[in-house]
Amino acid sequence: MNSERPEEGRPIGRRVFLGTVGLGALGVVTAPVLQRVTESVLGTFSGKDPTGLTGLLPNGGGFRYYSVTGSVPNKTAADYQLKIDGLVDKPRTFSLADLRALPQTRLVKDVQCVTGWRVPETPFEGVRLSHLLDLAGVRGGAKAIRFTCFDGAYSESLTLDQARRPDILVALRMQDKAIGHDHGGPVRLYVAPMYFYKSAKWLSGITVTDKVQPGYWEHLGYDVDAWVGRSNGRDDEPTS
């Protein structure tokens, strides 16, 4: 996935993941300067790594870089756009400035990866997805949302009821700073109560649909309804 790498059912990937646990512990105590260097180096290599193995390496912020494509284009405030279309009365296109001008919500929750790692008390800030849907005017008969990303490959989905929860954000900030490219910026989805693969990085499209369309990893066997602790055969503590 572009926000994490699930490894269940993939023995080789699981061994690589377990082999990085010691590195993860080291990252917790590494000096801040070294952490920033590590983030920069891993971000550079992961964008050019089609195997995804660099996505299993920890950085100082507790997250692991991963993309399902060999590279992802950079988007800036000058060229970023988020389109909302499908079963809506008023299709909209938002620039980054447009999104920043809307009411912002800050959430501080644990982030849980389906592979097992967890980053506690992670701040995310952005526009509630429900607010954007209200601005577009959801039509009768709408049942779900499909999310697409400017990496050209990743997708995700939520039911309309899930999308209207107050803990679902179109996020502009993460860990109290603007979301950088390697973390899925400038805009990503944040689905607080679900495993992190639902929080699609590099968000570019929100399409209102009449049925759930499984996302990238769901087509490969992961649960569509990915509630933390109640899906994917895991019993983690809830995050929201």
Side-chain angles (χ1 to χ4, degrees):
M1 65 200 59
N2 58 6
S3 38
E4 61 172 353
R5 174 99 184 254
E7 296 301 329
E8 295 171 4
R10 295 167 177 78
I12 294 176
R14 187 193 299 268
R15 287 197 295 269
V16 174
F17 173 75
L18 292 175
T20 66
V21 170
L23 290 175
L26 178 62
V28 173
V29 298
T30 302
V33 173
L34 183 56
Q35 290 178 5
R36 288 194 293 270
V37 172
T38 303
E39 288 188 10
S40 176
V41 171
L42 289 178
T44 299
F45 281 106
S46 65
K48 301 175 182 178
D49 174 20
T51 70
L53 294 180
T54 51
L56 300 177
L57 296 175
N59 66 40
F63 290 89
R64 291 151 178 82
Y65 297 98
Y66 186 68
S67 166
V68 300
T69 63
S71 63
V72 180
N74 280 274
K75 297 287 185 179
T76 67
D79 59 9
Y80 177 78
Q81 291 187 328
L82 175 63
K83 295 182 179 180
I84 303 181
D85 58 14
L87 299 177
V88 296
D89 294 325
K90 296 173 287 185
R92 302 284 298 267
T93 299
F94 293 89
S95 67
L96 189 56
D98 293 334
L99 293 172
R100 287 171 173 166
L102 294 173
Q104 305 291 301
T105 296
R106 187 174 188 266
L107 301 174
V108 181
K109 308 283 185 180
D110 290 1
V111 166
Q112 178 70 52
C113 175
V114 76
T115 59
W117 56 265
R118 191 178 185 104
V119 182
E121 298 183 356
T122 303
F124 279 87
E125 187 174 349
V127 183
R128 282 182 173 154
L129 177 57
S130 60
H131 184 59
L132 293 177
L133 295 175
D134 289 342
L135 291 176
V138 175
R139 294 179 183 172
K143 301 294 184 184
I145 313 294
R146 175 175 169 80
F147 304 95
T148 50
C149 307
F150 62 78
D151 67 349
Y154 201 74
S155 63
E156 256 309 334
S157 68
L158 292 172
T159 68
L160 186 57
D161 286 344
Q162 291 166 354
R164 290 197 176 280
R165 287 177 57 108
D167 53 3
I168 312 298
L169 301 181
V170 170
L172 313 181
R173 293 176 62 81
M174 171 180 165
Q175 296 178 316
D176 294 319
K177 57 187 176 183
I179 300 176
H181 175 77
D182 295 319
H183 288 304
V187 178
R188 69 175 297 163
L189 188 65
Y190 176 52
V191 183
M194 294 189 180
Y195 285 103
F196 207 37
Y197 64 86
K198 300 295 290 189
S199 297
K201 295 164 72 174
W202 305 301
L203 184 65
S204 62
I206 298 172
T207 300
V208 181
T209 63
D210 61 356
K211 62 182 179 181
V212 170
Q213 300 179 33
Y216 183 93
W217 284 106
E218 287 88 351
H219 282 295
L220 298 176
Y222 284 83
D223 286 353
V224 174
D225 294 322
W227 305 106
V228 173
R230 294 188 284 126
S231 65
N232 295 289
R234 297 189 60 86
D235 60 356
D236 305 287
E237 288 294 321
T239 54
S240 185

